[in-house]
Structure formats: C-alpha cells, structure tokens
Amino acid sequence: MPSMDDYRGQEPAWCPGCGNFQILTAVKQALIELGLMPHQVLLVSGIGQSSKLPHYMRCNTFNGLHGRTLPVATGAKLANHELVVIAVAGDGDCYGEGGNHLIHTIRRNIDITLLVHNNQIYGLTKGQASPTSDAGMVTKLQPHGVVLSPFNPIAFAVSMDAGFVARGFSGDIPHLTEMIKEGIGHRGFSMIDILQPCVTFNKLNTYAWYRERVYRLSDHDPYDRRLAFERALEWGERIPIGVIYRNHRPAFEGLVPALKKGLLVEDAGRPPIDTLLNQLY
Ligand SMILES: Cc1ncc(C[n+]2csc(CCOP(=O)(O)OP(=O)(O)O)c2C)c(N)n1
Ligand SMILES: [Mg+2]
C-alpha cells in the first residue's frame, strides 16, 4: 500500500493559504486510496501556478507548454495506456489557450482524468481576468470590470456529451478526494473542475464566498442529461459540487484496433533509457 511519503515531491512554493495545497493533498490521498504506486501514474501539466502541482509530487511527470496539457497527456496515454494519466491545468491554461484541445479530447473520450484548478484568475501572471472570471470583476488589466460573460465549463462539457463531468471545491478535501477517485475509475475522459481560491489575486471569489454558496449534490441522477444541464447552469447564490453528468460512451482505447492489441510502447520496443537520453543532447 503506498503512503503520502511515497508521493512527496519538492517543497511547494505556492502562497500560504492557496487552494492548490488542498488539491495536492486530495490527489495524493486519492492515489493512495486506489492503491496506485508512483510508477503507475503520470501527471502532465502546462504553465501556471496550478501546473506546478506535478513538481510537488514524486511519480512520472511532464511539465509542458501553456495550454498544451491535453495533447501531451493524450500522446502519453496512447503510447502506454496502462499508465494512469492525470492532466493538471488552470482555468486559463485549459479553458483559454488550450480550449480547442479540450473540445477534441472530450470528443475522443480518451481515458485521462483532467483536473482544472479553477481560481477564476490568471494566478502565475499576477491577476488578469481568465475565461471564468465573473463579469464585473475588477483587475489590474480590467480596471472598469470584466465586460465578457464567463465561460461555463460544466455546461460546455455536458453539451459535448463528455463521459464524466464533476465539480469539486478545494475547501472540501474528502469530497474532492472522492471526485478524483471516481474520475480515475471512470473508463474514458473525465473532467473535474475544482473551485480553488487564489488568496493573492482573486479578492472576490474567496474561501468565504465559495463556502456561502457551495453545496454537495444529493438525490441527483448524473446519467440524466437534462437534469445535468439544470445543475450545470446553477451558478450564483448556490453552486453544486459533485458528479454532475456521466454516460457510458466507449473509451477511445477500446475502439482502436491497434490499441486493443496491446501497448504501442511494447510494439516499438523499449530502448534503454541511456539511448533515449543521449538522443536529447
Ligand atoms: C503560449 C503562452 N501564452 C501565454 C503565456 C503566459 N501565461 C503563463 S501562465 C498564464 C495563465 C495562468 O493562468 P491559469 O492557467 O488560470 O493558471 P493559474 O496560475 O491561475 O493556476 C499565462 C497567460 C505563456 N507562458 N505561454
Ligand atoms: Mg487560474
């Protein structure tokens, strides 16, 4: 059985109080409870404060370019679909720059779990509005308030018939841990949008703001798409967390003959690691 220590990486450099700490705890806890060892897991990220999460864990990791989390995760999963692949992104990274990749990853329904640290702001670049910033929010770059309507990732994913769509809140670690476990257990693409307070740059959507609004879904049938849309559109005085939508769409890996035969990485033959490293220089 793995332990928290098995997954301990570098010391986090996030601001004290950042919601990312709780997401890091929930990811480790979920992997431990699923009995997964570090060598079985790959964490892929792009650029952002959220994308530093893989640095703070000890397992297979790949830190790529801004907005390009999902294509890298897709390539890795195709090469070795025995790996548990988790893509980590920010709201800017995934819903802004990487939005096009999100559309097609949902369509493909590849067995990756996407965690979006949705702090409704660009954290790394110090506080510009993101696609999910609430209308009217004042930032350094939007001194008269955000004039655009926010992107609704949950409604978008439901409309795309994504296989598994959930929302978590970093302030509720046990619930978030369950969401991550269910997402990893789902065969096909799973997206978990995680409400994550940014204590330094987002003074509007604070812990108190979320705590007043967030409620755990109960008596909800996630297989009912119409009900899922209703919950997906709920944002304001009440914000639901939980599994909002899921379906039984077959995963990409089960549809492609070459992948059904076995692992592509085995087909290619595994070169010794020294040969691979020498090719990089
Ligand atoms: C191609 C490219 N475009 C823009 C940037 C600048 N940039 C880096 S992180 C970022 C946004 C970060 O916001 P988010 O994805 O929400 O992550 P957070 O820091 O809030 O976790 C931007 C615009 C970049 N590094 N590369
Ligand atoms: Mg962000």
Side-chain angles (χ1 to χ4, degrees), residues 47-218:
I47 301 290
Q49 287 294 351
S50 38
S51 284
K52 293 180 182 173
L53 183 139
H55 304 192
Y56 308 144
M57 292 198 42
R58 185 180 152 273
C59 59
N60 299 296
T61 61
F62 190 102
N63 194 175
L65 296 174
H66 189 50
R68 306 295 178 255
T69 316
L70 286 171
V72 174
T74 299
K77 185 73 186 182
L78 290 180
N80 181 357
H81 59 267
E82 268 180 7
L83 270 179
V84 170
V85 179
I86 301 174
V88 178
D91 43 324
D93 193 72
C94 190
Y95 302 146
E97 183 114 7
N100 191 30
H101 297 301
L102 178 61
I103 295 175
H104 298 287
T105 310
I106 292 177
R107 286 183 55 232
R108 220 170 266 130
N109 201 26
I110 191 155
D111 190 12
I112 291 170
T113 301
L114 168 66
L115 307 179
V116 187
H117 300 215
N118 185 358
N119 53 12
Q120 303 187 249
I121 201 93
Y122 286 179
L124 186 77
T125 47
K126 302 191 188 300
Q128 303 82 4
S130 85
T132 53
S133 296
D134 287 323
M137 182 200 237
V138 173
T139 77
K140 276 175 280 186
L141 211 61
Q142 288 82 19
H144 306 296
V146 173
V147 293
L148 305 182
S149 308
F151 176 71
N152 181 334
I154 305 283
F156 165 76
V158 175
S159 77
M160 289 289 299
D161 206 22
F164 179 100
V165 186
R167 182 188 281 124
F169 169 43
S170 68
D172 187 345
I173 298 177
H175 180 270
L176 179 58
T177 304
E178 282 311 309
M179 291 301 104
I180 298 172
K181 280 166 66 182
E182 282 201 47
I184 293 173
H186 175 78
R187 292 307 221 112
F189 183 64
S190 46
M191 183 185 106
I192 307 172
D193 180 78
I194 306 167
L195 303 174
Q196 174 244 317
C198 169
V199 293
T200 304
F201 295 112
N202 187 338
K203 303 293 186 195
L204 175 64
N205 310 104
T206 59
Y207 281 96
W209 191 95
Y210 287 120
R211 286 221 162 88
E212 266 171 36
R213 292 163 173 81
V214 161
Y215 75 96
R216 287 186 184 192
L217 273 176
S218 61

